[in-house]
Amino acid sequence: NFGWSVAILKETTTGNGDYAVVGAPDYDIDGKSRSGAVFIYKRTVDSTTSEVQWGIKNGRENFSNQILKCSDSNTADRFGISVAMDENYIVVGKRGAAYIYNFDSTTKIWGVNESTSNNVSTNTETTKLVPIVPPSSEYYSNVSINNGKIIVGVFNGYNFGKCYLYILKNSNWGIEVQGQRYRTPNLQFT
């Protein structure tokens, strides 16, 4: 399911560059079936030919610059079911949680580097957000980020959903408000 979720960033102010993020929630990583992964492609322009390239070119194929995974992945987590990004953060949803990957302007990578092979780094999250939901293996997280705010929606696909709004304050993500809905269109914030 490569391409299940996608996000693109046209960088304008930080100098970090242009990126495309592609979620693959059924990707097998670390020997765990359907644990999921996210692939990051950086846009570059060849200074001699002006050819635009996304990722690392190898012959006729382009490979991702980075692979994101979660540090606590399990079978069928479906990490990458949703992705969002802004100029400094990538947010990734999976079953029951969301993960934040900070951009490090010194190393030019997203998240914490775990390993590097063939010029592709595999990285884990810098922060994990765990919404409070009833215990179930069927809850998945949708994510969105904008200007220091992250909203995480969790749902079971039947009759229950919640959303959590996180605000960045003093380099920490804290819950500002949460809302829930049971079989009605009225959202109740608490």
Side-chain angles (χ1 to χ4, degrees):
N1 287 30
F2 180 85
W4 181 276
S5 57
V6 293
I8 194 162
L9 171 67
K10 171 73 174 147
E11 189 282 319
T12 55
T13 59
T14 61
N16 296 345
D18 298 346
Y19 290 90
V21 178
V22 181
D26 289 335
Y27 188 81
D28 298 345
I29 198 161
D30 295 336
K32 297 171 186 156
S33 175
R34 298 178 65 208
S35 55
V38 171
F39 298 86
I40 300 175
Y41 298 85
K42 182 175 188 314
R43 180 183 183 269
T44 56
V45 179
D46 187 295
S47 58
T48 351
T49 65
S50 298
E51 178 186 356
V52 174
Q53 173 179 310
W54 288 90
I56 300 169
K57 192 159 183 94
N58 184 357
R60 297 176 69 189
E61 295 185 42
N62 286 7
F63 294 92
S64 65
N65 297 85
Q66 291 178 254
I67 300 171
L68 301 181
K69 66 177 194 171
C70 58
S71 60
D72 59 351
S73 68
N74 288 303
T75 297
D77 268 351
R78 304 210 65 217
F79 175 81
I81 199 159
S82 61
V83 296
M85 69 185 312
D86 73 4
E87 292 182 0
N88 295 304
Y89 303 98
I90 293 174
V91 185
V92 181
K94 77 162 195 164
R95 187 181 71 201
Y99 296 80
I100 302 171
Y101 298 79
N102 297 21
F103 183 78
D104 185 322
S105 59
T106 304
T107 62
K108 304 293 184 197
I109 65 168
W110 296 88
V112 178
N113 184 267
E114 186 177 87
S115 64
T116 303
S117 175
N118 298 325
N119 294 323
V120 177
S121 63
T122 300
N123 305 333
T124 56
E125 74 278 357
T126 46
T127 307
K128 178 180 177 180
L129 304 175
V130 184
I132 304 159
V133 295
S136 170
S137 62
E138 297 180 13
Y139 283 89
Y140 291 96
S141 299
N142 280 327
V143 295
S144 183
I145 184 170
N146 186 14
N147 198 26
K149 297 175 187 74
I150 294 174
I151 191 163
V152 178
V154 292
F155 62 96
N156 69 357
Y158 303 106
N159 59 4
F160 176 81
K162 273 191 165 189
C163 59
Y164 298 84
L165 180 64
Y166 295 86
I167 304 293
L168 181 63
K169 290 183 183 174
N170 301 321
S171 301
N172 293 309
W173 293 95
I175 291 180
E176 180 167 274
V177 67
Q178 61 181 317
Q180 61 188 11
R181 182 185 79 75
Y182 297 90
R183 295 186 191 183
T184 67
N186 299 326
L187 183 62
Q188 303 160 354
F189 282 100
T190 55

